[in-house]
Amino acid sequence: MQHEQQGRHVQREIAPAVQADPGQREGRHRAQRPGQAAIASVVWVAISLAFFGVRPGQTVIEITPGGGWYSEILAPYLRTSGTYIAANATATPDSGAGKRAAGLKAKFAADPAHYDRVQWLDFDGKNPGFGAPGSADVVLTFRNVHNLTMNGGDVPANVFKAWFAMLKPGGTLGVVDHRLP
């Protein structure tokens, strides 16, 4: 119940970040497009962000944002009060990850009214380093941990250690994922 109440509060706060603004943005966030509502509702996003304690004024690092589903919400939400950092593993430009990163950078560049304050951080996926220890209030990753586990070896443990090192004391590591068959 507490998380539902926090979710409603955050939903009110993030509503401007996910509403269409025809003068500045094309279309609506994917959570508002037909056919997406069942799996990608704004309410679920708001409850998730409330559960992780995301608030204005924080430094939030999103690990491997892919095409920017959560970036479309987090960057505008934190734009005037807070810091949003998109952290991506370095990839060759012609790879799928490289193309997604280039697309996300282009999305940010094309909409400075919402994304001009986004910080971009490239990291080595096999030997991650994310900047100054204790610099983030929240580190988030959405649907990425299963990929780490497929890498095997020490990669998952090294990545989690690096994520935890970035957190300020009392900070939150938020993980949303699914399991593979």
Side-chain angles (χ1 to χ4, degrees):
M1 185 64 149
Q2 176 186 4
H3 294 302
E4 289 178 19
Q5 290 172 343
Q6 289 174 330
R8 283 193 293 275
H9 174 72
V10 173
Q11 182 182 1
R12 284 191 304 273
E13 290 179 0
I14 69 168
V18 297
Q19 297 300 316
D21 183 348
Q24 298 180 21
R25 296 182 79 183
E26 293 181 20
R28 296 177 285 174
H29 186 270
R30 285 172 282 201
Q32 296 176 313
R33 293 181 192 147
Q36 295 289 323
I39 59 170
S41 74
V42 173
V43 173
W44 175 252
V45 172
I47 290 170
S48 297
L49 296 178
F51 180 77
F52 295 136
V54 175
R55 295 275 184 251
Q58 293 181 322
T59 296
V60 177
I61 300 173
E62 182 182 5
I63 307 298
T64 315
W69 200 96
Y70 273 87
S71 303
E72 291 177 8
I73 295 170
L74 288 165
Y77 178 58
L78 296 167
R79 184 177 176 272
T80 58
S81 177
T83 302
Y84 170 76
I85 301 170
N88 279 278
T90 53
T92 59
D94 60 337
S95 69
K99 290 176 183 175
R100 281 188 297 279
L104 188 56
K105 283 183 179 181
K107 178 188 289 188
F108 292 161
D111 190 357
H114 292 94
Y115 304 115
D116 63 332
R117 296 185 183 155
V118 169
Q119 295 180 25
W120 192 268
L121 174 68
D122 289 314
F123 65 91
D124 178 348
K126 302 280 186 200
N127 186 19
F130 297 96
S135 60
D137 296 290
V138 181
V139 174
L140 299 171
T141 187
F142 302 97
R143 299 184 64 148
N144 293 311
V145 172
H146 63 278
N147 293 320
L148 290 173
T149 60
M150 288 188 295
N151 288 333
D154 294 334
V155 172
N158 291 341
V159 169
F160 274 94
K161 286 178 187 175
W163 292 348
F164 277 109
M166 286 188 296
L167 289 170
K168 295 176 181 176
T172 299
L173 172 60
V175 177
V176 174
D177 213 323
H178 60 94
R179 64 182 186 158
L180 293 175

